[in-house]
Amino acid sequence: MTIIKELHSKIDRPIKVLQYGEGNFLRAFVDAMIDTLNEKTGFNGNIAIIKPIQYGSLDALRNQGNVYSVLLRSASESEVKIVRSVQDCFGAYEDYEQYAKLAENPDLRFVFSNTTEAGITFDEADLYSLVPPKSFPGKLTKFLHERWLFFKGDPSKGLAIIPCELIDDNGGALLDCVKRYASLWKLEEGFLEWIQSSCVFASTLVDRIVTGFPSTEKEAVFKELGFEDNCLVTGEKFALWVIEAKPGLDQELPFAKAGLPVIFTDDLKMYKQRKVRVLNGAHTGFALL
């Protein structure tokens, strides 16, 4: 059967997005939306995916030229999206030099992450000297510090960090970890000021069921698609992404212009309560039955 890279290839663009995490959710949610931004707006930015852990492999994605498909289903219909906006992918450990070099990229603006609920944690035993530090916030702190050093504190080179981990106030929690590492590692006061004045740490609420690779029905799905894709991700069509940030970020990420289900707000508390009460509450009720 024809394989996906024989029909589709990535579209080269500047790397504007650094993504910590190569898992199914990010690829079916964030990456698919960034790809739509590229198609429908003037965003013109690609993604560098970083595998933040030592185990696992990026070979399947690399073997397909970093191109893959997302199959989204509802009760009555389905749609397929070919994601062609992943410029490159690196392992933070095995490809450390290439990963660290991205801190010097003047086009880089956004950082997305999904390192599981346990990913945003502070480890006082973590070390700046490690390549890379062990924890995700440690990795991010060192990356930001190296960027600050390279651009000599240029305020225009700050990054917008938008975590997708499923914890309350994930942006605030991540910022707190970065500040604690800066203190633990005795980094410059100017760096801490740059973090707080030139970078954005946005809290988020994300919602989409992603079921991953359809291993039990892959042959039928490949036949339906007309090609083989070993990085295929399946999920539901419904999605919601609420981003709590100051005005302006919605102009840099024009999701609304692209018709995507993304809401920018100055307070996501209502959206969080609604999701927990209506969706999670209903699930709890079903469990009794």
Side-chain angles (χ1 to χ4, degrees):
M1 178 178 285
T2 301
I3 59 177
I4 188 172
K5 72 175 183 179
E6 294 173 348
L7 300 174
H8 303 282
S9 59
K10 73 179 179 185
I11 299 175
D12 289 322
R13 303 182 183 95
I15 293 176
K16 291 186 179 180
V17 175
L18 182 72
Q19 177 176 297
Y20 286 94
E22 76 287 2
N24 291 324
F25 178 80
L26 285 176
R27 292 193 294 113
F29 189 81
V30 174
D31 297 347
M33 292 195 192
I34 294 296
D35 196 80
T36 300
L37 277 188
N38 281 322
E39 290 179 349
K40 296 187 176 182
T41 75
F43 182 72
N44 190 39
N46 275 4
I47 305 156
I49 292 179
I50 306 302
K51 181 172 68 68
I53 53 180
Q54 289 179 289
Y55 57 86
S57 173
L58 295 167
D59 289 348
L61 191 57
R62 287 169 171 164
N63 290 341
Q64 296 188 171
N66 299 324
V67 175
Y68 67 95
S69 54
V70 178
L71 175 60
L72 300 176
R73 294 162 163 166
S74 69
S76 59
E77 59 183 350
S78 63
E79 65 179 53
V80 178
K81 175 163 192 56
I82 309 298
V83 176
R84 303 196 293 166
S85 297
V86 177
Q87 188 71 26
D88 221 328
C89 51
F90 303 108
Y93 291 84
E94 55 269 40
D95 306 306
Y96 179 78
E97 290 186 4
Q98 295 98 314
Y99 153 62
K101 189 72 175 177
L102 291 168
E104 302 175 8
N105 180 356
D107 297 311
L108 190 65
R109 171 57 178 157
F110 305 99
V111 176
F112 298 102
S113 68
N114 189 358
T115 56
T116 77
E117 293 85 343
I120 301 180
T121 55
F122 176 77
D123 179 0
E124 63 182 12
D126 211 349
L127 298 173
Y128 184 95
S129 59
L130 294 176
V131 288
K134 293 183 293 183
S135 68
F136 159 54
K139 292 178 178 69
L140 178 62
T141 304
K142 183 170 182 174
F143 185 90
L144 290 171
H145 184 247
E146 291 179 338
R147 184 172 180 84
W148 176 79
L149 289 172
F150 183 81
F151 289 107
K152 298 179 172 58
D154 184 346
S156 71
K157 294 299 184 286
L159 300 180
I161 295 104
I162 306 174
C164 297
E165 286 82 356
L166 296 177
I167 63 172
D168 288 337
D169 190 23
N170 47 19
L174 184 54
L175 173 59
D176 180 66
C177 286
V178 170
K179 291 164 65 176
R180 291 176 70 184
Y181 278 120
S183 175
L184 176 69
W185 296 336
K186 296 180 172 54
L187 303 181
E188 299 88 339
E189 186 65 29
F191 168 66
L192 188 57
E193 293 173 358
W194 180 79
I195 286 293
Q196 298 182 101
S197 64
S198 300
C199 294
V200 174
F201 285 78
S203 289
T204 66
L205 173 68
V206 297
D207 192 1
R208 166 171 275 165
I209 295 173
V210 175
T211 48
F213 185 76
S215 55
T216 60
E217 53 174 335
K218 66 177 183 178
E219 299 304 331
V221 173
F222 290 166
K223 184 176 180 180
E224 176 186 348
L225 295 176
F227 56 79
E228 182 177 311
D229 177 4
N230 290 314
C231 297
L232 169 68
V233 187
T234 59
E236 66 170 340
K237 291 188 70 174
F238 172 82
L240 174 66
W241 193 0
V242 184
I243 301 175
E244 185 179 274
K246 294 180 180 178
L249 194 61
D250 58 334
Q251 301 302 309
E252 294 188 67
L253 290 168
F255 290 121
K257 186 177 179 180
L260 292 165
V262 182
I263 298 169
F264 286 89
T265 180
D266 60 358
D267 186 359
L268 61 70
K269 182 178 179 181
M270 181 274 290
Y271 299 96
K272 173 77 172 182
Q273 288 181 334
R274 184 174 65 182
K275 178 179 183 292
V276 170
R277 290 172 179 174
V278 176
L279 179 62
N280 299 43
H283 287 173
T284 301
F286 293 157
L288 299 177
L289 296 176

